[in-house]
Amino acid sequence: MGHIEAMTVGHVLPDGRELFTGVSFRVGDGAKVALVGPNGAGKTTLLRMVAGELAPTGGSIARSGGLGVMGQFIGSIDDGRTLADLALSLAPPAVRAAGERLRTAMAALDDGERSQLRYADALSVWGEAGGYAAEVEFDTASVAALGLPWDAVSERPVVTLSGGEQKRFALELLLRGPDEVLLLDEPDNFLDVPAKRWLEERIAASDKSVLFVSHDRELLANTAQRVVTVEGGSAWVHPGGFASWHAARTARHDRFDEQRRRWDEERAKLDRLVAHYKAKAAHNDGMASRLQAARTRLARFVDAGPPQERAPEQSIRMRLGGGRTGKRAIVCEQLELAGLTHPFDLEVWFGDRVAVLGANGSGKSHFLRLLARGGSDPEPGTVPASGAALSAVTHDGSVRLGARVRPGHFSQTHERPGLDGTLLDALVHGDVDRDGMPLGAAMKALARYELATQADQGFATLSGGQQARFLILLLELAGATLLLLDEPTDNLDLASAEALEQALATFEGTVLAVTHDRWFTRGFDRFVVFGDDGEVRETATPFWEAS
C-alpha cells in the first residue's frame, strides 16, 4: 500500500520570506488525513511538494505507490482542454503517455503508409498500457457524473461543465482508479449536498491513502481520521478526527502558554540572581566567581531559547451592521424563472435568516441575482454593480423589496466590477455602492479582516479565501440591510467561516444565503428548497435532513 512521509519540510517564498519549516507527517495504510489551516498558510504548497511539482527548500518527502492528484481549480481557465485531456491527465503515467502518443498519431494520420504504421503502433501501445480498460473507466465516470456516455462528451471543452460536474468527474476517476495515494485540494467546492455525501461515503469506503484539503466542517467531521494543522509557520498532527480537533488545539495552546509562563519565571529568577551577585561582588571580591557562574547559567538559558509559542490566533472582526427596514423585506408573487422553476410565492420578513437550498442548476443563484436587481431583467451579459455577468434567464411574476431594503450581493464566482486597482484604492475611492473613506480608516478596516498586508495587492492576486473576506468587507461598508450570499463559505478557512457566522448572528437585517455547507446552514431558521422538478417550496428542516 502506498504512503507519503514528509520529514522536516520547509519552504521559502520567492521574496525570501519563510512560509513554513519543520513540517513532518505521514499518510499511509489507507488513512484519511485532512490538511487544515488559515488561508495562505501553505496547504496547497505542501500538496504540490508531495505531488513533485515543487521542491522543498528544506527537509524531504518520501512517497511510494501510484499517486492521483486533483488540484483546487480544474477548468477555471479556458485553455482549450477537453474532457479527454482531463481524463488522461488523471490517468496513471503509462496510460497518460500512451494516450498522448495515440492522439498525436491520430492527428497526423493520412493516406501515407508511414503515418498508418505509426497509428497502428500507437494503438498497440495504448492497449498494452491498459488504455482500453481506462476507456471503460472514463465511460463509467462520464455516466455517473454527467449522465452521458464517454463517446458523447470526450471532446467537450472542460470549461463548458459546471464546477460541480468537473469535480465529480475527476473524483469518479480518481476514486475508481488504481492509484494507491490520492491528493485532493478542496474536492468539495462546487459540489451540492448529495454529491458531498457521495464523496464522504466514497472516501470512507476507499482503501486508498488520502491527503486532502477542505474547509467544509461537516466533510472534515465525517471523513478525517487524522488532522495535520498548518499554522504559525509549521505544522502539527492531531491523531484523532475533526470532532476532537478543536479541544486538542486548545489544549496544545494552553500547554504552550504554561511552558512560556514557566520559562519567563525562570528567566526572571536568573536575572535576579545575577543582579544579587553583582551587588555582592561590588563589595566582596570573593563573590566574583559566583557572579560569573550566574551569568554563565543565564547565558546558557537564554541561548537555548524560549519554548515553542502558540500560533497567533486569527482575529477577523466582521461588523455587518445592517439597519431597520419595512416588515416585509421580500415579496415574490407567482415568480417563475424561465426554464428553471414553476411559479411560486414567497414572503421574507425583516430579520429572517433564509437558507436557499437545492441541487446545482436549479435556479438558486439566478434567484439571488434577481433579488439583487430588485426584480428587473437586465440585458443578457451585463454586469450589475455588485455581481457577476448575467445569463439570459428571464422571469415572470413579480418581485418587490420592502421599504429601506438595500440589497448587498456576494457572488459565488467572486466577480465584481471596479476592482482593477489595489484593495486600498477600492476602499479609499469607493464605487457606486458606497462612498470612499480616509486612508487610515481603510487600513483599519482591512486589518479587521486580516487583509492589511494585502492592501497594495490587486483583487485578482488574492487567494480565494482572501477574496471572499474582502467582498464581505465591501458589503459591510455599503451598509446593506438585505444580504444575498451565494456560497459565502466555499473558500473561507475555519476561522473566517466562524467569524462570518458570528457577524450574521448580530446583523440587524435580513439574510438569504445559497449554500451547500451543512454546518453553516445550522444558523438559519427558514429553508427554501429549489427542487429538481421545478417546484420551490419551504421545509421545516434542511432538505437533506427531511429527505
Side-chain angles (χ1 to χ4, degrees), residues 295-309:
R295 284 174 169 168
T296 301
R297 183 178 172 188
L298 173 61
R300 288 175 178 172
F301 182 83
V302 172
D303 288 345
Q308 181 177 348
E309 294 187 6

Side-chain angles (χ1 to χ4, degrees), residues 252-435:
R252 172 184 170 87
H253 285 179
D254 290 346
R255 185 170 67 254
F256 287 160
D257 289 345
E258 176 62 17
Q259 290 171 349
R260 181 59 193 241
R261 184 187 65 79
R262 292 180 180 179
W263 190 90
D264 288 339
E265 289 177 352
E266 182 66 18
R267 168 68 188 266
K269 177 183 174 181
L270 292 175
D271 282 336
R272 290 194 300 270
L273 188 64
V274 169
H276 171 74
Y277 283 125
K278 185 176 181 181
K280 292 285 188 181
H283 305 288
N284 185 348
D285 291 342
M287 289 291 176
S289 61
R290 293 191 179 186
L291 172 61
Q292 184 57 41
R295 284 174 169 168
T296 301
R297 183 178 172 188
L298 173 61
R300 288 175 178 172
F301 182 83
V302 172
D303 288 345
Q308 181 177 348
E309 294 187 6
R310 67 152 72 198
E313 294 286 355
Q314 290 179 267
S315 180
I316 300 166
R317 303 182 302 283
M318 300 179 180
R319 298 173 182 167
L320 298 169
R324 291 291 307 184
T325 69
K327 290 184 179 180
R328 288 182 175 86
I330 302 169
V331 179
C332 301
E333 294 178 336
Q334 290 299 289
L335 177 62
E336 179 181 7
L337 302 180
L340 292 171
T341 73
H342 299 312
F344 66 94
D345 298 330
L346 178 66
E347 280 190 343
V348 178
W349 299 78
F350 170 77
D352 280 350
R353 300 294 190 264
V354 183
V356 182
L357 312 174
N360 289 329
S362 58
K364 305 183 301 299
S365 294
H366 291 291
F367 177 54
L368 255 61
R369 289 174 179 170
L370 182 62
L371 294 176
R373 303 191 302 272
S376 61
D377 280 326
E379 291 296 321
T382 59
V383 180
S386 54
L390 300 166
S391 66
V393 173
T394 58
H395 78 279
D396 290 320
S398 67
V399 176
R400 300 193 307 275
L401 300 184
R404 298 181 301 280
V405 170
R406 182 182 177 90
H409 182 222
F410 178 100
S411 170
Q412 179 186 15
T413 55
H414 295 183
E415 294 180 24
R416 184 184 173 99
L419 292 182
D420 299 327
T422 67
L423 304 191
L424 195 58
D425 289 339
L427 298 189
V428 170
H429 298 306
D431 58 26
V432 296
D433 283 342
R434 57 191 172 74
D435 296 330

Side-chain angles (χ1 to χ4, degrees), residues 7 160 213 251 299 333 340 383 484:
M7 293 163 282
T160 65
V213 172
E333 294 178 336
L340 292 171
V383 180
L484 304 168

Side-chain angles (χ1 to χ4, degrees), residues 133-177:
E135 287 180 354
V136 174
E137 293 296 333
F138 297 167
D139 186 71
T140 302
S142 175
V143 171
L146 310 175
L148 294 169
W150 181 239
D151 289 344
V153 299
S154 61
E155 295 306 315
R156 182 175 170 180
V158 173
V159 292
T160 65
L161 275 64
S162 70
E165 289 172 330
Q166 294 172 15
K167 287 285 179 85
R168 179 67 185 268
F169 178 75
L171 288 166
E172 288 279 0
L173 283 181
L174 290 172
L175 289 165
R176 295 173 184 274

